[in-house]
Amino acid sequence: MKKLFGILLAVVMMFSVVAVLVACDSGETVEIAVVTDVGQLNDGGFNQGTYEGAKAYAEANGKTYQYYQPKNGDKATDADRIQAMNDAIKDGAKVIVTPGYLQEAAIRDVAGKNPEVKFIFIDGYPVTAEKGGKEVLKNVAGISFKEQESGFFAGYAAVKEGFTKLGGTFGGGGTNPACNRFANGYILGATEAAKEMKKSIEMRISFLHGNTFSASSELQAQINGWYENGTEVVFSCGGSMVNSVIAAADAKNGKVIGVDTDQSKLSDRIITSAVKGLANSVKWALGEFYAGKWEAIGGTGTQLGATDDATGLPTAAASWKMTKFTVDEYNALLAKVKAGTIKINISEYDEALTWVEKLTVDGTITVALEK
């Protein structure tokens, strides 16, 4: 009897394992693949938000899915990313979601050799067949965001909440257009609120330790110094960098603004997050692919913003840690941006932040850029 029970238990466990594998992104073939950016899948930000969109679409539509994390983590090379994409294709992927601008070279290589496979390039743009060339790959759809809007909301909210000494640390070393848009919007939003309130504010902006979008002792020491010198709230813009900012905030009783996804669950220090619709954008693009509408997005760049419900601040009660600036006030501001009453035009600053180095609006804002 015990032997029979053991056999039955083994069978049940075997089927349970199979069920778990299917639920956790596996199958004989994988239709939808996500090749992650630097860092870990569950980064509470960019990778996680993108993957959750692919996962949600796949499960709602009966598609198999899996994520592929390139080797070497934060030090992943183009060769590592190429290998991960090729692994996905070997597993049968019809469409590969690739978050992060660092994926460009790998996409060019793999998409160019596999025209039947479609690539959704999140935080991306049209990719040319040859670097510097004019012919674009029709099997690559670039999806980007108006991050300046989310940054604007975050900066505006921070000043309305009563903070007058703000900081911002940004990934990409000053060469990432998405992070630059966040930074520029953050400055413009804080300036707008300061003008309305007739307040003077100070801002520290830095790309000094953001090249790898990762937490580091150097970044933590820098932000620790900011808090010690009076900075009250820091916008952490760059994936896992937030862990260093939270650690510094914990040590110095500071506040933090998260990025990309609602990061409020990471720490009570986070008062809000400058979010963009990563999951929704992935679901939308996958929907276009499976509806046979790829021609509308392939070979082009689509930029999503507040009017697409793709940029903003999270308003759930558990996410809103501000007490002076209200959700109703935010919604009124959001409506103005959607209607075009407030325009946040900063496209000329996508590529560089040198313009903020000595930015001063007398009586309103002084910005110091730490290189």
Side-chain angles (χ1 to χ4, degrees):
M1 190 69 180
K2 285 184 178 180
K3 184 176 181 181
L4 178 60
F5 178 77
I7 294 172
L8 289 173
L9 181 60
V11 171
V12 170
M13 289 180 69
M14 179 182 70
F15 280 106
S16 296
V17 169
V18 171
V20 169
L21 286 172
V22 172
C24 294
D25 323 336
S26 187
E28 292 183 2
T29 61
V30 174
E31 282 198 37
I32 300 171
V34 176
V35 174
T36 62
D37 197 2
V38 292
Q40 300 300 309
L41 174 71
N42 295 313
D43 60 359
F46 201 71
N47 282 330
Q48 188 170 339
T50 302
Y51 173 69
E52 286 175 353
K55 179 176 183 289
Y57 182 89
E59 292 182 348
N61 293 277
K63 308 296 182 183
T64 53
Y65 63 99
Q66 184 165 306
Y67 74 87
Y68 297 77
Q69 192 162 289
K71 294 178 181 178
N72 298 314
D74 295 337
K75 295 180 176 60
T77 65
D78 288 334
D80 295 327
R81 286 181 272 271
I82 288 170
Q83 182 63 58
M85 293 177 193
N86 283 329
D87 287 345
I89 292 172
K90 288 178 184 177
D91 289 343
K94 296 180 179 179
V95 56
I96 300 177
V97 183
T98 55
Y101 78 112
L102 293 174
Q103 308 265 20
E104 179 184 345
I107 291 173
R108 176 175 289 113
D109 182 279
V110 181
K113 295 174 181 175
N114 298 274
E116 75 286 356
V117 179
K118 304 300 186 288
F119 289 75
I120 298 172
F121 187 12
I122 300 296
D123 250 15
Y125 32 78
V127 175
T128 55
E130 299 290 336
K131 186 175 182 179
K134 294 183 178 179
E135 180 188 355
V136 298
L137 295 171
K138 298 294 185 181
N139 57 330
V140 180
I143 309 293
S144 61
F145 302 88
K146 298 177 182 178
E147 288 91 354
Q148 66 269 25
E149 294 177 348
S150 293
F152 182 93
F153 297 136
Y156 185 96
V159 173
K160 286 289 186 176
E161 183 64 9
F163 298 113
T164 59
K165 294 185 177 182
L166 286 65
T169 179
F170 299 87
T175 63
N176 181 332
C179 288
N180 291 351
R181 289 193 290 268
F182 269 126
N184 286 302
Y186 182 56
I187 294 165
L188 294 174
T191 303
E192 180 65 24
K195 287 179 178 177
E196 291 178 8
M197 300 175 73
K198 294 181 171 55
K199 280 190 172 185
S200 294
I201 60 172
E202 299 175 11
M203 296 190 77
R204 292 176 180 268
I205 300 294
S206 178
F207 290 82
L208 192 58
H209 301 296
N211 282 325
T212 65
F213 298 87
S214 302
S216 69
S217 58
E218 294 83 3
L219 176 60
Q220 185 174 334
Q222 179 193 33
I223 305 306
N224 193 68
W226 285 8
Y227 286 128
E228 282 186 347
N229 286 290
T231 298
E232 299 162 310
V233 59
V234 175
F235 181 18
S236 174
C237 182
S240 298
M241 288 168 61
V242 72
N243 295 317
S244 291
V245 179
I246 290 171
D250 284 339
K252 300 299 177 182
N253 197 31
K255 299 297 182 182
V256 181
I257 295 171
V259 76
D260 289 336
T261 61
D262 178 6
Q263 294 187 316
S264 60
K265 292 181 181 178
L266 298 179
S267 171
D268 288 338
R269 298 286 176 187
I270 296 177
I271 60 170
T272 190
S273 301
V275 302
K276 52 189 182 184
L278 294 168
N280 286 339
S281 70
V282 173
K283 288 188 284 186
W284 171 78
L286 287 171
E288 294 293 284
F289 168 69
Y290 281 105
K293 299 179 181 179
W294 184 262
E295 291 74 14
I297 63 173
T300 66
T302 302
Q303 191 172 52
L304 306 175
T307 56
D308 308 293
D309 294 323
T311 56
L313 304 179
T315 57
S319 307
W320 195 271
K321 305 288 180 61
M322 294 175 285
T323 58
K324 296 177 183 177
F325 183 56
T326 68
V327 172
D328 287 342
E329 289 172 323
Y330 162 68
N331 284 332
L333 178 68
L334 176 63
K336 290 179 181 178
V337 173
K338 285 185 174 183
T341 305
I342 294 178
K343 298 183 184 297
I344 310 166
N345 298 318
I346 58 153
S347 58
E348 64 267 36
Y349 301 124
D350 280 4
E351 300 300 331
L353 260 289
T354 55
W355 70 284
V356 308
E357 188 166 6
K358 295 181 180 178
L359 176 62
T360 298
V361 179
D362 289 342
T364 301
I365 186 170
T366 301
V367 179
L369 177 63
E370 293 186 13
K371 294 184 177 180

